[in-house]
Amino acid sequence: MKRFTGLLFAVCISGLTAQTAMAQDEKTAMVPLPSQDDFSKGEDGWAFGLGLTVEYETAYEGSDEFEFEPQPAGAVQWRSGDNIFYFAGEALGWRGLRAENWLLEAAIGFDEGREENDSEDGYLDGLGDQDEGAELVLQARRALDDDWRYWLVSRVVASDEGNLALFSVGRRFGEQMDGTGSEINVVATFHNSEYANKGFGIDAGQAAASGLPQTSMSGGLRSIGIDYNYRHYINDNWQLYGEALFEYYSSEVRDSPIARSNYEAEVGIGFIYIF
């Protein structure tokens, strides 16, 4: 479930934007949102994007340790009208536009899990490793105007280790209809007790092995956060993109011994080549 440089980031990129002359009307995204990968350039058929992003992020949920991590980026997509089927990293899914103001999405992905050695300072010692697991992600996005300037989002993540729900309101900046520009989302995230205990609970065995107090989590509010996305065409094939995320944990999560920080943060920047 994992991912704010904000104004500073946008200002740094503005020089590139001013130097690039693009025929924006030749690249119409299914929805003009920078957070949605759409490599089709408005055409049906296959589309491919391949790139690399570098992220600076917390080492694990609740960590006060930060690390740089390179990640592959891009996707294989097939577009048919207002439908895009895609394979991106460890996610296989579908995204479809309905009635011009509903964007629906369904995907099967994977949670990376957590390992004791994710903490270089040894704060996870004795808690054991968590295996990677499959997740079903269902999302509905509702535009509040004709050009997707404002919208509402609801997302549910379901797995055999609990469920997560997200609700947000977003705002798009820029006049482009090709998926470039920037957007910002304010997000509230909720989890059930099973999902909460997976990330922040400590059972009796873990308490004995780690020396941390046994901790049982209940469901409810997980965090309040803000998410910023930026995307820019450098030329007809190369894209520059960035994302920044800040989540402030609820009081119950902050009280968990695993949460050594009151927040989670991530900044990423990358390039992608569209074939």
Side-chain angles (χ1 to χ4, degrees), residues 22-50:
M22 297 296 298
Q24 302 290 354
D25 57 341
E26 295 179 0
K27 301 181 178 69
T28 303
M30 192 167 69
V31 289
L33 301 180
S35 60
Q36 305 297 303
D37 286 333
D38 185 349
F39 306 138
S40 68
K41 299 182 181 180
E43 300 178 356
D44 284 357
W46 291 101
F48 305 87
L50 182 63

mmCIF file of all heavy atoms in Angstrom, residues 22-50:
data_model
loop_
_atom_site.group_PDB
_atom_site.id
_atom_site.type_symbol
_atom_site.label_atom_id
_atom_site.label_comp_id
_atom_site.label_asym_id
_atom_site.label_seq_id
_atom_site.Cartn_x
_atom_site.Cartn_y
_atom_site.Cartn_z
ATOM 1 N N MET A 22 5.318 20.966 -27.089
ATOM 2 C CA MET A 22 4.610 19.723 -27.347
ATOM 3 C C MET A 22 3.261 20.022 -27.983
ATOM 4 O O MET A 22 2.607 20.997 -27.648
ATOM 5 C CB MET A 22 4.373 18.953 -26.041
ATOM 6 C CG MET A 22 5.641 18.501 -25.329
ATOM 7 S SD MET A 22 6.577 17.324 -26.322
ATOM 8 C CE MET A 22 5.387 16.014 -26.445
ATOM 9 N N ALA A 23 2.827 19.154 -28.880
ATOM 10 C CA ALA A 23 1.469 19.245 -29.426
ATOM 11 C C ALA A 23 0.562 18.445 -28.512
ATOM 12 O O ALA A 23 0.328 17.255 -28.712
ATOM 13 C CB ALA A 23 1.425 18.682 -30.846
ATOM 14 N N GLN A 24 0.044 19.079 -27.458
ATOM 15 C CA GLN A 24 -0.696 18.386 -26.426
ATOM 16 C C GLN A 24 -1.939 17.692 -26.972
ATOM 17 O O GLN A 24 -2.356 16.666 -26.454
ATOM 18 C CB GLN A 24 -1.093 19.370 -25.317
ATOM 19 C CG GLN A 24 0.067 20.093 -24.662
ATOM 20 C CD GLN A 24 0.929 19.178 -23.800
ATOM 21 O OE1 GLN A 24 0.591 18.016 -23.603
ATOM 22 N NE2 GLN A 24 2.027 19.697 -23.306
ATOM 23 N N ASP A 25 -2.562 18.253 -28.007
ATOM 24 C CA ASP A 25 -3.800 17.672 -28.500
ATOM 25 C C ASP A 25 -3.577 16.335 -29.187
ATOM 26 O O ASP A 25 -4.517 15.625 -29.498
ATOM 27 C CB ASP A 25 -4.496 18.642 -29.447
ATOM 28 C CG ASP A 25 -3.623 19.040 -30.614
ATOM 29 O OD1 ASP A 25 -2.394 18.877 -30.514
ATOM 30 O OD2 ASP A 25 -4.180 19.526 -31.612
ATOM 31 N N GLU A 26 -2.317 15.977 -29.478
ATOM 32 C CA GLU A 26 -2.021 14.703 -30.108
ATOM 33 C C GLU A 26 -1.927 13.585 -29.084
ATOM 34 O O GLU A 26 -1.834 12.421 -29.449
ATOM 35 C CB GLU A 26 -0.718 14.794 -30.901
ATOM 36 C CG GLU A 26 -0.799 15.768 -32.079
ATOM 37 C CD GLU A 26 0.504 15.849 -32.826
ATOM 38 O OE1 GLU A 26 1.461 15.143 -32.416
ATOM 39 O OE2 GLU A 26 0.583 16.597 -33.807
ATOM 40 N N LYS A 27 -1.921 13.903 -27.808
ATOM 41 C CA LYS A 27 -1.785 12.901 -26.749
ATOM 42 C C LYS A 27 -2.921 13.103 -25.751
ATOM 43 O O LYS A 27 -2.817 13.902 -24.843
ATOM 44 C CB LYS A 27 -0.435 13.030 -26.042
ATOM 45 C CG LYS A 27 0.783 12.866 -26.934
ATOM 46 C CD LYS A 27 2.043 12.997 -26.111
ATOM 47 C CE LYS A 27 3.281 12.783 -26.949
ATOM 48 N NZ LYS A 27 3.463 13.891 -27.898
ATOM 49 N N THR A 28 -3.992 12.387 -25.950
ATOM 50 C CA THR A 28 -5.139 12.524 -25.073
ATOM 51 C C THR A 28 -5.218 11.302 -24.178
ATOM 52 O O THR A 28 -5.450 10.187 -24.656
ATOM 53 C CB THR A 28 -6.436 12.663 -25.886
ATOM 54 O OG1 THR A 28 -6.315 13.781 -26.759
ATOM 55 C CG2 THR A 28 -7.622 12.879 -24.960
ATOM 56 N N ALA A 29 -5.031 11.512 -22.881
ATOM 57 C CA ALA A 29 -5.123 10.406 -21.937
ATOM 58 C C ALA A 29 -6.584 10.056 -21.693
ATOM 59 O O ALA A 29 -7.479 10.883 -21.885
ATOM 60 C CB ALA A 29 -4.452 10.794 -20.620
ATOM 61 N N MET A 30 -6.830 8.828 -21.270
ATOM 62 C CA MET A 30 -8.202 8.426 -20.993
ATOM 63 C C MET A 30 -8.803 9.311 -19.918
ATOM 64 O O MET A 30 -9.962 9.719 -20.005
ATOM 65 C CB MET A 30 -8.240 6.955 -20.566
ATOM 66 C CG MET A 30 -9.641 6.361 -20.541
ATOM 67 S SD MET A 30 -9.613 4.564 -20.413
ATOM 68 C CE MET A 30 -8.994 4.363 -18.732
ATOM 69 N N VAL A 31 -8.028 9.619 -18.888
ATOM 70 C CA VAL A 31 -8.353 10.674 -17.932
ATOM 71 C C VAL A 31 -7.076 11.484 -17.725
ATOM 72 O O VAL A 31 -5.989 10.919 -17.637
ATOM 73 C CB VAL A 31 -8.876 10.129 -16.577
ATOM 74 C CG1 VAL A 31 -10.256 9.545 -16.731
ATOM 75 C CG2 VAL A 31 -7.916 9.105 -15.988
ATOM 76 N N PRO A 32 -7.161 12.818 -17.661
ATOM 77 C CA PRO A 32 -5.947 13.663 -17.672
ATOM 78 C C PRO A 32 -5.314 13.817 -16.289
ATOM 79 O O PRO A 32 -5.079 14.931 -15.830
ATOM 80 C CB PRO A 32 -6.492 14.994 -18.190
ATOM 81 C CG PRO A 32 -7.873 15.054 -17.652
ATOM 82 C CD PRO A 32 -8.391 13.630 -17.712
ATOM 83 N N LEU A 33 -5.009 12.699 -15.624
ATOM 84 C CA LEU A 33 -4.469 12.752 -14.271
ATOM 85 C C LEU A 33 -3.024 12.257 -14.254
ATOM 86 O O LEU A 33 -2.740 11.141 -14.708
ATOM 87 C CB LEU A 33 -5.321 11.910 -13.317
ATOM 88 C CG LEU A 33 -6.794 12.315 -13.218
ATOM 89 C CD1 LEU A 33 -7.516 11.402 -12.239
ATOM 90 C CD2 LEU A 33 -6.927 13.771 -12.796
ATOM 91 N N PRO A 34 -2.087 13.039 -13.722
ATOM 92 C CA PRO A 34 -0.682 12.632 -13.694
ATOM 93 C C PRO A 34 -0.416 11.346 -12.909
ATOM 94 O O PRO A 34 0.579 10.670 -13.156
ATOM 95 C CB PRO A 34 0.015 13.836 -13.023
ATOM 96 C CG PRO A 34 -0.886 14.986 -13.302
ATOM 97 C CD PRO A 34 -2.278 14.432 -13.269
ATOM 98 N N SER A 35 -1.284 10.999 -11.979
ATOM 99 C CA SER A 35 -1.071 9.791 -11.181
ATOM 100 C C SER A 35 -1.430 8.521 -11.938
ATOM 101 O O SER A 35 -1.101 7.416 -11.481
ATOM 102 C CB SER A 35 -1.896 9.864 -9.895
ATOM 103 O OG SER A 35 -3.283 9.964 -10.190
ATOM 104 N N GLN A 36 -2.111 8.632 -13.087
ATOM 105 C CA GLN A 36 -2.557 7.465 -13.834
ATOM 106 C C GLN A 36 -1.664 7.219 -15.040
ATOM 107 O O GLN A 36 -1.669 7.998 -15.993
ATOM 108 C CB GLN A 36 -4.006 7.665 -14.291
ATOM 109 C CG GLN A 36 -4.980 7.981 -13.173
ATOM 110 C CD GLN A 36 -5.086 6.863 -12.169
ATOM 111 O OE1 GLN A 36 -5.401 5.717 -12.508
ATOM 112 N NE2 GLN A 36 -4.820 7.182 -10.920
ATOM 113 N N ASP A 37 -0.892 6.144 -15.020
ATOM 114 C CA ASP A 37 -0.066 5.791 -16.172
ATOM 115 C C ASP A 37 -0.946 5.506 -17.375
ATOM 116 O O ASP A 37 -1.822 4.635 -17.324
ATOM 117 C CB ASP A 37 0.770 4.541 -15.871
ATOM 118 C CG ASP A 37 1.931 4.831 -14.938
ATOM 119 O OD1 ASP A 37 2.401 5.979 -14.921
ATOM 120 O OD2 ASP A 37 2.366 3.900 -14.235
ATOM 121 N N ASP A 38 -0.746 6.241 -18.459
ATOM 122 C CA ASP A 38 -1.451 5.999 -19.719
ATOM 123 C C ASP A 38 -0.476 6.268 -20.845
ATOM 124 O O ASP A 38 -0.188 7.406 -21.177
ATOM 125 C CB ASP A 38 -2.687 6.902 -19.822
ATOM 126 C CG ASP A 38 -3.527 6.608 -21.062
ATOM 127 O OD1 ASP A 38 -3.055 5.854 -21.945
ATOM 128 O OD2 ASP A 38 -4.644 7.135 -21.159
ATOM 129 N N PHE A 39 0.062 5.199 -21.430
ATOM 130 C CA PHE A 39 1.072 5.313 -22.474
ATOM 131 C C PHE A 39 0.472 5.205 -23.877
ATOM 132 O O PHE A 39 1.203 5.128 -24.856
ATOM 133 C CB PHE A 39 2.133 4.230 -22.294
ATOM 134 C CG PHE A 39 2.753 4.219 -20.917
ATOM 135 C CD1 PHE A 39 2.997 3.019 -20.248
ATOM 136 C CD2 PHE A 39 3.089 5.406 -20.292
ATOM 137 C CE1 PHE A 39 3.558 3.020 -18.987
ATOM 138 C CE2 PHE A 39 3.650 5.417 -19.025
ATOM 139 C CZ PHE A 39 3.890 4.210 -18.368
ATOM 140 N N SER A 40 -0.863 5.194 -23.978
ATOM 141 C CA SER A 40 -1.520 4.943 -25.258
ATOM 142 C C SER A 40 -1.499 6.137 -26.206
ATOM 143 O O SER A 40 -1.731 5.969 -27.402
ATOM 144 C CB SER A 40 -2.977 4.540 -25.012
ATOM 145 O OG SER A 40 -3.725 5.636 -24.494
ATOM 146 N N LYS A 41 -1.290 7.351 -25.707
ATOM 147 C CA LYS A 41 -1.324 8.580 -26.504
ATOM 148 C C LYS A 41 -2.647 8.715 -27.267
ATOM 149 O O LYS A 41 -2.688 9.226 -28.389
ATOM 150 C CB LYS A 41 -0.138 8.632 -27.469
ATOM 151 C CG LYS A 41 1.208 8.622 -26.762
ATOM 152 C CD LYS A 41 2.366 8.714 -27.737
ATOM 153 C CE LYS A 41 3.699 8.684 -27.010
ATOM 154 N NZ LYS A 41 4.855 8.765 -27.930
ATOM 155 N N GLY A 42 -3.718 8.235 -26.640
ATOM 156 C CA GLY A 42 -5.041 8.374 -27.223
ATOM 157 C C GLY A 42 -5.405 7.341 -28.256
ATOM 158 O O GLY A 42 -6.469 7.428 -28.876
ATOM 159 N N GLU A 43 -4.566 6.322 -28.464
ATOM 160 C CA GLU A 43 -4.811 5.342 -29.516
ATOM 161 C C GLU A 43 -5.081 3.965 -28.925
ATOM 162 O O GLU A 43 -4.511 3.590 -27.902
ATOM 163 C CB GLU A 43 -3.616 5.265 -30.465
ATOM 164 C CG GLU A 43 -3.304 6.584 -31.164
ATOM 165 C CD GLU A 43 -2.076 6.485 -32.055
ATOM 166 O OE1 GLU A 43 -1.443 5.399 -32.060
ATOM 167 O OE2 GLU A 43 -1.753 7.469 -32.726
ATOM 168 N N ASP A 44 -5.936 3.206 -29.595
ATOM 169 C CA ASP A 44 -6.188 1.827 -29.194
ATOM 170 C C ASP A 44 -4.999 0.947 -29.553
ATOM 171 O O ASP A 44 -4.228 1.252 -30.460
ATOM 172 C CB ASP A 44 -7.442 1.291 -29.885
ATOM 173 C CG ASP A 44 -8.727 1.836 -29.270
ATOM 174 O OD1 ASP A 44 -8.629 2.587 -28.275
ATOM 175 O OD2 ASP A 44 -9.810 1.515 -29.789
ATOM 176 N N GLY A 45 -4.872 -0.172 -28.838
ATOM 177 C CA GLY A 45 -3.807 -1.122 -29.113
ATOM 178 C C GLY A 45 -2.799 -1.192 -27.992
ATOM 179 O O GLY A 45 -3.022 -0.704 -26.878
ATOM 180 N N TRP A 46 -1.655 -1.818 -28.295
ATOM 181 C CA TRP A 46 -0.616 -2.032 -27.298
ATOM 182 C C TRP A 46 0.198 -0.764 -27.052
ATOM 183 O O TRP A 46 0.443 0.017 -27.973
ATOM 184 C CB TRP A 46 0.332 -3.140 -27.743
ATOM 185 C CG TRP A 46 -0.299 -4.501 -27.742
ATOM 186 C CD1 TRP A 46 -0.773 -5.191 -28.814
ATOM 187 C CD2 TRP A 46 -0.519 -5.327 -26.595
ATOM 188 N NE1 TRP A 46 -1.280 -6.397 -28.416
ATOM 189 C CE2 TRP A 46 -1.139 -6.504 -27.066
ATOM 190 C CE3 TRP A 46 -0.262 -5.187 -25.231
ATOM 191 C CZ2 TRP A 46 -1.502 -7.549 -26.202
ATOM 192 C CZ3 TRP A 46 -0.617 -6.212 -24.372
ATOM 193 C CH2 TRP A 46 -1.232 -7.377 -24.851
ATOM 194 N N ALA A 47 0.608 -0.591 -25.805
ATOM 195 C CA ALA A 47 1.487 0.522 -25.428
ATOM 196 C C ALA A 47 2.464 0.011 -24.372
ATOM 197 O O ALA A 47 2.091 -0.787 -23.506
ATOM 198 C CB ALA A 47 0.682 1.690 -24.877
ATOM 199 N N PHE A 48 3.717 0.471 -24.464
ATOM 200 C CA PHE A 48 4.761 0.003 -23.555
ATOM 201 C C PHE A 48 5.523 1.190 -22.980
ATOM 202 O O PHE A 48 5.843 2.137 -23.696
ATOM 203 C CB PHE A 48 5.757 -0.911 -24.287
ATOM 204 C CG PHE A 48 5.134 -2.072 -24.991
ATOM 205 C CD1 PHE A 48 4.671 -1.947 -26.295
ATOM 206 C CD2 PHE A 48 4.996 -3.288 -24.349
ATOM 207 C CE1 PHE A 48 4.085 -3.014 -26.957
ATOM 208 C CE2 PHE A 48 4.419 -4.373 -24.998
ATOM 209 C CZ PHE A 48 3.967 -4.234 -26.300
ATOM 210 N N GLY A 49 5.827 1.120 -21.694
ATOM 211 C CA GLY A 49 6.666 2.109 -21.049
ATOM 212 C C GLY A 49 7.665 1.405 -20.147
ATOM 213 O O GLY A 49 7.319 0.442 -19.460
ATOM 214 N N LEU A 50 8.917 1.861 -20.172
ATOM 215 C CA LEU A 50 9.950 1.242 -19.347
ATOM 216 C C LEU A 50 10.857 2.333 -18.795
ATOM 217 O O LEU A 50 11.298 3.217 -19.529
ATOM 218 C CB LEU A 50 10.783 0.258 -20.179
ATOM 219 C CG LEU A 50 11.873 -0.509 -19.434
ATOM 220 C CD1 LEU A 50 11.277 -1.399 -18.350
ATOM 221 C CD2 LEU A 50 12.703 -1.343 -20.419
#
